[in-house]
Amino acid sequence: MAEQKKLLEVKNLRTSFFTHVGEVKAVRDVSFHLDRGEILGIVGESGSGKSVTCMSVMRLLQDPGRIIGGEVLYEGEDLVKKTEKEMQKIRGEKISMVFQDPMTAMNPVFTVGNQMVELIRQHRKMSKQEAHDLAVKMLGLVGIPSPEERMKNYPHEFSGGMRQRAMIAMALSCDPDLLIADEPTTALDVTIQAQVLDLMKELQQKTGTAIILITHDLGVIAETCRRVIVMYGGMILESGTVEEIFHQPANPYTLGLLGSVPNPEKSRERLEPIPGSPPDLIRPPKGCPFCYRCRYAMNKCVEEVPPLFELSETHQSRCWLLHPDAPKVGAFEREGR
């Protein structure tokens, strides 16, 4: 029965960019699944492979980017093997994406209404009037005032928050099974950010759409998601439920992320930045991608990539400190580690 719940299953995905200076191994052996109606968070620093993973799922990689291995199973069908024509039907109709910058994602020379009507008619058999009425309804649903009038506006006439809402309305107008939201609140102030997140949760509950939320903001993850994937250096270093990741982190990188976020309950404690820089993915480390920034690193970490250790049915972590023979150090001295 569990297999039938899976809407999306990514298996051993590898994506590279073939540049004049060498192969950038942006996504390295990434595997995860998404259940129907679930909100899954993908978190990590810039350059960790979050966005490239989801662009690979959507098959929106531009040259010199290429999927070089793995499977992307959507309802059991491998999207990697689909033609571009087949993917055009799937995008929007089955899987929609809200891009990081709504200003560049919308065409500046067409009205918002024009773009929404065109998108709806491309994927749904509707007359122009029916598509127009649906677009107005969707703009109203995402909280844009006077939606009928706003249909006549150009993107530059919308504020940042309204543009982001319009992008969500466009993404949901074809009633997709999956919405991928890439940093949907990055450019917004805190108040608008909270409104957009509440809106996404509300729409998910109303429509049953599954959501993949890409962000570097752990606060957004805690408030919105059920499960979390922590990425670094093109790999998944830890995955688990929100409770497991926040209260039982089992990877030094996850600990570092949590330590660098302000905690209102510990306002007197200093924030601890993660020292060093992300790895060069043209020449990625031979072992764990985090080994050169990790305070617990051992020789084994430098020499060999650790496997994903199973900590529970929902919790996995890629760290040699979880091996039964590993020394118990620091945060890993807790019972069960």
Side-chain angles (χ1 to χ4, degrees), residues 181-253:
D182 188 0
E183 302 273 11
T185 59
T186 297
L188 308 178
D189 64 52
V190 178
T191 308
I192 303 297
Q193 194 176 89
Q195 289 174 2
V196 168
L197 289 174
D198 287 344
L199 169 69
M200 288 178 68
K201 284 191 288 186
E202 188 183 326
L203 292 174
Q204 185 270 336
Q205 288 165 4
K206 280 182 182 176
T207 63
T209 300
I211 298 174
I212 295 178
L213 181 61
I214 306 168
T215 183
H216 60 268
D217 190 331
L218 285 165
V220 168
I221 291 287
E223 203 172 303
T224 315
C225 302
R226 186 175 76 82
R227 281 193 307 122
V228 192
I229 289 169
V230 180
M231 287 191 72
Y232 181 81
M235 303 178 84
I236 292 175
L237 291 195
E238 188 167 6
S239 66
T241 64
V242 166
E243 289 76 18
E244 287 166 337
I245 296 298
F246 279 81
H247 300 297
Q248 297 174 300
N251 192 285
Y253 179 60

Side-chain angles (χ1 to χ4, degrees), residues 164-185:
Q164 196 62 279
R165 287 165 183 263
M167 284 298 299
I168 293 170
M170 286 178 76
L172 293 174
S173 60
C174 294
D175 196 20
D177 294 321
L178 169 59
L179 175 68
I180 299 174
D182 188 0
E183 302 273 11
T185 59

Side-chain angles (χ1 to χ4, degrees), residues 65-330:
R66 280 208 313 272
I67 295 171
I68 57 171
E71 297 175 299
V72 177
L73 302 176
Y74 176 78
E75 295 187 321
E77 294 186 18
D78 190 0
L79 300 186
V80 175
K81 295 176 180 173
K82 297 281 185 188
T83 64
E84 178 55 28
K85 191 172 182 181
E86 288 171 326
M87 282 306 300
Q88 283 175 6
K89 186 168 174 59
I90 289 168
R91 293 187 205 112
E93 194 173 315
K94 300 283 187 182
I95 309 174
S96 286
M97 190 162 183
V98 177
F99 294 94
Q100 192 165 347
D101 184 356
M103 194 63 212
T104 56
M106 297 178 88
N107 193 322
V109 301
F110 293 102
T111 64
V112 171
N114 185 293
Q115 293 180 63
M116 289 190 72
V117 168
E118 185 182 349
L119 176 74
I120 292 165
R121 294 194 73 197
Q122 187 177 341
H123 292 287
R124 301 178 80 165
K125 291 178 181 176
M126 285 188 173
S127 68
K128 205 167 185 178
Q129 186 59 49
E130 287 172 330
H132 178 275
D133 293 344
L134 177 59
V136 171
K137 180 186 170 186
M138 292 306 297
L139 287 179
L141 191 65
V142 298
I144 290 178
S146 309
E148 185 76 56
E149 289 301 309
R150 285 296 189 175
M151 288 278 287
K152 302 167 190 170
N153 290 155
Y154 289 87
H156 73 271
E157 296 178 285
F158 277 34
S159 67
M162 285 175 68
R163 279 198 300 270
Q164 196 62 279
R165 287 165 183 263
M167 284 298 299
I168 293 170
M170 286 178 76
L172 293 174
S173 60
C174 294
D175 196 20
D177 294 321
L178 169 59
L179 175 68
I180 299 174
D182 188 0
E183 302 273 11
T185 59
T186 297
L188 308 178
D189 64 52
V190 178
T191 308
I192 303 297
Q193 194 176 89
Q195 289 174 2
V196 168
L197 289 174
D198 287 344
L199 169 69
M200 288 178 68
K201 284 191 288 186
E202 188 183 326
L203 292 174
Q204 185 270 336
Q205 288 165 4
K206 280 182 182 176
T207 63
T209 300
I211 298 174
I212 295 178
L213 181 61
I214 306 168
T215 183
H216 60 268
D217 190 331
L218 285 165
V220 168
I221 291 287
E223 203 172 303
T224 315
C225 302
R226 186 175 76 82
R227 281 193 307 122
V228 192
I229 289 169
V230 180
M231 287 191 72
Y232 181 81
M235 303 178 84
I236 292 175
L237 291 195
E238 188 167 6
S239 66
T241 64
V242 166
E243 289 76 18
E244 287 166 337
I245 296 298
F246 279 81
H247 300 297
Q248 297 174 300
N251 192 285
Y253 179 60
T254 310
L255 287 167
L257 284 180
L258 292 168
S260 62
V261 174
N263 186 340
E265 294 174 9
K266 301 176 182 177
S267 56
R268 293 183 180 274
E269 286 189 14
R270 290 182 63 133
L271 294 179
E272 288 187 42
I274 302 172
S277 302
D280 177 2
L281 292 180
I282 293 178
R283 299 172 198 82
K286 184 180 172 186
C288 172
F290 190 59
C291 64
Y292 294 115
R293 301 175 74 185
C294 180
R295 68 175 73 178
Y296 307 119
M298 307 173 287
N299 289 339
K300 180 80 168 172
C301 306
V302 178
E303 293 163 3
E304 193 177 337
V305 176
L308 274 169
F309 290 94
E310 298 274 344
L311 304 173
S312 75
E313 281 188 14
T314 54
H315 195 185
Q316 297 86 35
S317 177
R318 194 184 296 278
C319 182
W320 282 119
L321 287 171
L322 298 169
H323 192 281
D325 299 332
K328 304 298 177 195
V329 295

